[in-house]
């Protein structure tokens, strides 16, 4: 009986699907982060990962880590059983401006020249001669395999004024366009601001431009560009290393308007320190977007107040859940339903045979200010049409009736998009930590399906 009922659900027609895509494309999306925990542990403090996907069959990662006497830069690749054994690939010089710490790598692939030698990788790093970390400058090294590096020597970017008793410049991120133009974002403690500079040769940087900032004492993290969306994805961090902030630019101008769309903090990671983030990027710096889920990945240092506990962690950044991969529930769970095989052919279809059927999101973290609407596309064959969306917050981390918004879930079996304005509930504030979708209050042994669940600004 259930199989026959399921067959009556009306699928999206091609024209309708195209129309829907056009409408969605004109909306601004909110976003959520989902912690995936520790990516790997080296048993020393590790932070500031630079991650490249699509450069050969393995994902590559460089990061800063302790050596016992100053910081160095390490390298590893993905394997079928995890990450390879870390290898130290860049360390302090014998003397000079980077003779104690080398850290905060940002790596791009392209065509580079130094002293008549051609290279395929450039690594921008923070260096200092000072054990505390004062008077940092930004340098560059070049390589043809990502493992053996040759330093340029002199810094390529320095602080605006004397930094002998403060941090200086660093925490840089670089992007290389198809034309070869290199864009760098970095932090300067002498002004407590983030800046952008550009270079055509990877060594000489000009056009210093102030970048937006939404939080006090906000330090740069990482940039990645999306050619298909014509906008930047940006991460920054708090000066206390406790929180990571995520932005999206409104257009292709990195120095234009940034919209705050996400946060990574102890609310989902369980770690006091969440810092020095890096996007998973393609070799030039374009953002990696996972097929089927639309997920973007952020790697970062995470741990307790003690640097001895800092590991490399990973979180998902997403604007919703498309359920496009067979069997992949994308972390959502179900209750009080039958015939639940998970998503199939782009739709999650089941039978609502009990009272209070619902789908619950994985633990997430999303600023309520970044989006006001939960958009869910549902096909409902129940006679009941009393839909409801519940939510949790960091201050009230549980579902309850006073944290819910009702909507009419159109019956009849056709696919309808319901845009539920969550901001009508006064408790929709602070950090949202979970979403629960109740398509109907009471199942009448009828089929119900979900196409997608999205966060809309």
């Amino acid at each position: 009986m259930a199989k026959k009922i399921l067959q009556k659900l009306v699928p999206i027609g091609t024209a309708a699907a195209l129309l829907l895509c056009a409408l969605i494309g004109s909306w601004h999306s909110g976003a959520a982060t989902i912690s995936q925990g520790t990516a790997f542990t080296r048993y020393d403090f590790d932070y500031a990962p630079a991650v490249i996907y699509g450069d050969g069959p393995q994902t590559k990662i460089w990061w800063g880590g302790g050596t016992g006497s100053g910081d160095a830069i390490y390298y590893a690749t993905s394997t079928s059983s995890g990450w390879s054994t870390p290898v130290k690939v860049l360390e302090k010089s014998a003397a000079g401006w980077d003779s104690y710490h080398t850290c905060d790598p940002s790596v791009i692939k392209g065509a580079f020249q130094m002293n008549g030698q051609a290279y395929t990788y450039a690594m921008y790093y923070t260096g200092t001669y000072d054990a505390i970390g004062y008077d940092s400058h930004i340098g560059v090294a070049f390589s043809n395999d990502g493992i053996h590096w040759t330093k340029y020597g002199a810094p390529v970017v320095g602080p605006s004024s004397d930094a002998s008793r403060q941090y200086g410049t660093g925490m840089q991120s670089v992007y290389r366009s198809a034309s070869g133009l290199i864009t760098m974002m970095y932090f300067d403690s002498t002004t407590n601001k983030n800046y952008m500079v550009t270079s055509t040769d990877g060594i000489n940087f000009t056009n210093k431009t102030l970048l937006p900032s939404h939080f006090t004492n906000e330090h740069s993290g990482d940039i990645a560009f999306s050619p298909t969306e014509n906008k930047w994805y940006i991460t920054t961090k708090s000066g206390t290393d406790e929180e990571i902030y995520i932005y999206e630019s409104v257009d292709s101008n990195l120095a234009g308007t940034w919209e705050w769309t996400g946060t990574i903090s102890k609310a989902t990671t369980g770690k006091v320190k969440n810092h020095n983030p890096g996007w998973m990027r393609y070799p030039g710096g374009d953002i990696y977007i996972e097929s089927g889920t639309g997920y973007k990945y952020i790697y970062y240092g995470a741990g307790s107040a003690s640097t001895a506990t800092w590991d490399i962690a990973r979180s998902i950044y997403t604007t919703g859940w498309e359920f496009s991969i067979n069997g992949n529930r994308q972390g959502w769970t179900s209750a009080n339903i039958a015939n639940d095989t998970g998503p199939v052919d782009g739709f999650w279809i089941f039978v609502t045979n009990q009272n209070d059927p619902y789908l619950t999101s994985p633990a997430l973290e999303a600023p309520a200010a970044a989006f006001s609407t939960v958009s869910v596309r549902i096909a409902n064959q129940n006679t009941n049409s009393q839909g409801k969306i519940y939510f949790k917050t960091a201050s009230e981390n549980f579902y309850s009736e006073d944290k819910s918004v009702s909507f009419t879930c159109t019956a009849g079996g056709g696919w309808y998009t319901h845009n539920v304005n969550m901001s009508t509930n006064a408790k929709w504030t602070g950090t949202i930590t979970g979403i629960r979708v109740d398509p109907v209050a009471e199942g009448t042994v009828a089929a119900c399906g979900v196409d997608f669940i999205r966060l809309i600004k």
Side-chain angles (χ1 to χ4, degrees), residues 82-389:
W83 291 94
S84 64
T85 301
V87 177
K88 188 193 305 180
V89 296
L90 194 77
E91 55 188 329
K92 60 187 179 183
S93 299
W97 69 277
D98 62 349
S99 57
Y100 198 87
H101 292 299
T102 56
C103 52
D104 299 344
S106 183
V107 179
I108 49 175
K109 189 176 182 181
F112 309 98
Q113 290 280 334
M114 183 181 69
N115 299 329
Q117 174 69 44
Y119 296 94
T120 55
Y121 296 91
M123 174 194 290
Y124 293 84
Y125 66 96
T126 304
T128 180
Y129 57 85
D130 183 78
I132 297 177
Y134 290 154
D135 205 17
S136 295
H137 288 63
I138 299 169
V140 63
F142 298 97
S143 173
N144 281 312
D145 60 5
I147 300 172
H148 303 90
W149 295 88
T150 302
K151 292 181 178 180
Y152 171 65
V156 296
V157 176
S160 300
S161 58
D162 178 42
S164 58
R165 302 304 298 168
Q166 57 179 291
Y167 174 77
T169 54
M171 291 176 275
Q172 64 290 327
S173 172
V174 290
Y175 171 84
R176 184 178 186 273
S177 70
S179 67
L181 181 69
I182 296 172
T183 299
M184 177 190 292
M185 175 178 74
Y186 69 94
F187 174 72
D188 185 341
S189 72
T190 65
T191 61
N192 200 33
K193 302 291 185 181
N194 298 308
Y195 296 95
M196 176 184 79
V197 288
T198 59
S199 173
T200 57
D201 63 4
I203 294 173
N204 299 288
F205 285 85
T206 58
N207 301 317
K208 183 178 177 181
T209 305
L210 180 67
L211 292 177
S213 179
H214 289 66
F215 297 91
T216 303
N217 198 24
E218 180 179 18
H219 299 175
S220 63
D222 199 19
I223 55 176
F225 188 69
S226 173
T228 58
E229 300 168 295
N230 197 38
K231 67 179 179 181
W232 293 90
Y233 289 84
I234 307 109
T235 60
T236 64
K237 72 180 186 71
S238 69
T240 58
D241 285 329
E242 294 179 356
E243 291 186 326
I244 293 167
Y245 310 117
I246 304 165
Y247 299 93
E248 297 178 20
S249 67
V250 298
D251 53 31
S252 62
N253 181 12
L254 181 61
T257 302
W258 293 2
E259 294 185 332
W260 175 42
T261 54
T263 303
I264 299 173
S265 75
K266 64 180 180 181
T268 53
T269 69
K271 305 294 185 180
V272 174
K273 297 295 184 180
N274 302 277
H275 56 96
N276 297 96
W279 295 102
M280 179 183 282
R281 312 190 304 174
Y282 286 103
D286 287 341
I287 195 162
Y288 168 75
I289 303 177
E290 186 174 72
S291 176
T293 64
Y295 286 168
K296 304 165 187 74
Y297 293 95
I298 302 174
Y299 289 76
Y300 51 96
S304 69
S306 169
T307 57
T309 68
W310 290 4
D311 299 319
I312 301 297
R314 187 172 86 162
S315 284
I316 293 167
Y317 177 75
T318 184
T319 57
W321 299 267
E322 302 300 317
F323 306 120
S324 297
I325 301 174
N326 289 353
N328 186 355
R329 302 164 191 258
Q330 295 186 248
W332 286 71
T333 57
S334 61
N336 301 330
I337 63 177
N339 294 75
D340 178 14
T341 58
V344 177
D345 296 331
F347 303 96
W348 190 348
I349 296 172
F350 42 84
V351 172
T352 46
N353 64 337
Q354 301 180 48
N355 289 339
D356 199 23
Y358 58 85
L359 302 178
T360 306
S361 76
L364 56 83
E365 183 172 3
F371 70 101
S372 60
T373 300
V374 174
S375 179
V376 55
R377 189 167 176 83
I378 301 175
N380 173 30
Q381 284 193 337
N382 291 273
T383 54
N384 186 287
S385 61
Q386 300 171 17
K388 188 176 290 188
I389 295 181

Side-chain angles (χ1 to χ4, degrees), residues 1-9 351 381 444-448:
M1 180 176 179
K3 183 176 181 180
K4 292 180 180 179
I5 293 173
L6 293 176
Q7 290 172 343
K8 293 180 182 178
L9 282 170
V351 172
Q381 284 193 337
T444 54
V445 195
C448 190

Side-chain angles (χ1 to χ4, degrees), residues 416-432:
Y416 296 91
T417 299
H418 304 278
N419 295 317
V420 184
N421 185 357
M422 306 302 295
S423 65
T424 59
N425 188 310
K427 290 197 172 185
W428 184 263
T429 187
T431 300
I432 306 303

Side-chain angles (χ1 to χ4, degrees), residues 44-57:
D44 205 330
F45 69 96
D46 298 294
Y47 58 95
V51 186
I52 287 182
Y53 175 90
D55 182 27

